[in-house]
Amino acid sequence: MSDLFVQAKQAILATDKEKALEIAKRHLDAGGEPLEIISQGFVPGITEVGEQFGRGTLFLPELIMAAEAMMAVTDVLSAAMAESGQAGSATPAGSILVATVKGDVHDIGKGIAVAMFKANGYTVHDLGRDVEVGDIIDAAEKNGSRVIATSALLTTTMGEQKKLEETLKKSKLREKYVTLVAGAPVTQRWANRIGADIYAENAHTGVVRVSEKLMAG
Ligand code: B12
């Protein structure tokens, strides 16, 4: 692993926002791909933080500080990623609505996915985090999104993705949309169980699978 990626991971573990930002800048200045250092440096850092938090060897204040460092770098890197893409291309790839479900404030992964979709020419409607199923459907109906993508990071909030499928069915709107589910506890099995069209383990596969699905018609 590159030395800068190791340093990126360590900066998150050390909850050092300034250092993390400096590393992100160095990577971009050297012409590096934003997603590369996110996925091989910063994400392993925040994942390790999460594991330590889960084991009880790291506490909420440090989790929050590490998350702040992570958010600062993903903001910078996502902006660079979106700029490097084909935004404004003559053939828009489609329109996608993205939200983190109700009761859940985790939005770092969603932010990365938003940047990836933008970089690939999609029009993205980002509703933010802690969003009610009803508001997700209303927004999709209003803005004409073809794809509804939801992110859930807590086992207690994944149920909102099931509720979305059920509410779409009840409202006779299910066939109108392609649904995508994502988030650390979400699996292909969960997607199959609730009847979601696409499971995305990361932002990249999300873009690939949505594009394949839309092309298949
Ligand atoms: C950062 C973090 C926080 C931050 C969130 C800041 C923010 N703005 O997002 C803060 C400090 C606020 C936080 C709070 C809490 N957290 Co927290 N948190 C994390 C942590 C460490 C990292 C999450 C993260 O950002 N990972 C990096 C990103 C890049 O990964 P990701 O989100 O999984 O995204 C990837 C894929 O899932 C996918 N993806 C995700 N969304 C989308 C969307 C689309 C469209 C696509 C295509 C792809 C996609 O693509 C991404 C990669 O490319 C996780 C640990 C973990 N391993 O997940 C715990 C974790 C999720 N948190 C946990 C807990 C318990 C909490 C709290 C309840 C703690 C508390 N006691 O208050 C609160 C809950 C608040 C709430 N109501 O939501 C637990 C959940 C346990 C469980 N079984 O549900 C975890 C697993 C930690 C642990 N090991 O215990 N947390």
Side-chain angles (χ1 to χ4, degrees):
M1 201 199 277
S2 124
D3 188 40
L4 204 58
F5 295 170
V6 174
Q7 287 181 42
K9 179 177 176 182
Q10 278 162 356
I12 298 297
L13 280 166
T15 72
D16 190 340
K17 182 159 106 181
E18 296 316 315
K19 181 83 186 162
L21 281 168
E22 182 207 310
I23 291 165
K25 189 171 178 304
R26 263 167 54 202
H27 179 72
L28 290 177
D29 288 348
E33 283 289 327
L35 189 63
E36 201 181 33
I37 194 158
I38 291 180
S39 57
Q40 294 179 52
F42 293 116
V43 168
I46 196 75
T47 304
E48 170 78 37
V49 165
E51 279 162 13
Q52 291 186 15
F53 177 75
R55 284 200 299 269
T57 54
L58 177 147
F59 301 98
L60 194 58
E62 293 146 294
L63 174 66
I64 292 171
M65 281 167 66
E68 278 168 4
M70 185 71 188
M71 283 187 275
V73 284
T74 49
D75 276 356
V76 170
L77 293 165
S78 294
M81 210 193 295
E83 266 169 34
S84 72
Q86 320 142 357
S89 95
T91 50
S95 167
I96 177 166
L97 181 148
V98 184
T100 295
V101 297
K102 183 171 178 261
D104 202 323
V105 304
H106 295 87
D107 64 356
I108 295 172
K110 173 182 73 62
I112 297 170
V114 165
M116 280 287 284
F117 276 104
K118 283 186 180 163
N120 283 278
Y122 283 82
T123 302
V124 183
H125 300 279
D126 183 3
L127 297 192
R129 53 196 195 172
D130 191 14
V131 190
E132 296 258 8
V133 161
D135 293 338
I136 294 176
I137 298 174
D138 285 352
E141 285 289 287
K142 241 179 239 147
N143 65 36
S145 296
R146 175 85 172 85
V147 184
I148 300 179
T150 54
S151 181
L153 263 285
L154 298 169
T155 44
T156 49
T157 59
M158 284 166 70
E160 289 291 307
Q161 296 178 325
K162 183 164 178 257
K163 190 174 161 191
L164 173 70
E165 296 293 331
E166 290 166 355
T167 312
L168 283 172
K169 268 186 214 133
K170 258 189 235 146
S171 321
K172 308 238 180 308
L173 291 169
R174 183 61 187 86
E175 299 312 314
K176 198 170 160 186
Y177 295 105
V178 169
T179 58
L180 176 153
V181 289
V186 176
T187 57
Q188 181 64 60
R189 209 167 147 204
W190 173 246
N192 295 346
R193 202 175 121 196
I194 66 172
D197 296 309
I198 299 171
Y199 160 64
E201 60 268 39
N202 59 43
H204 174 72
T205 51
V207 172
V208 171
R209 291 193 185 138
V210 166
S211 304
E212 282 170 0
K213 184 87 187 168
L214 294 185
M215 261 193 287

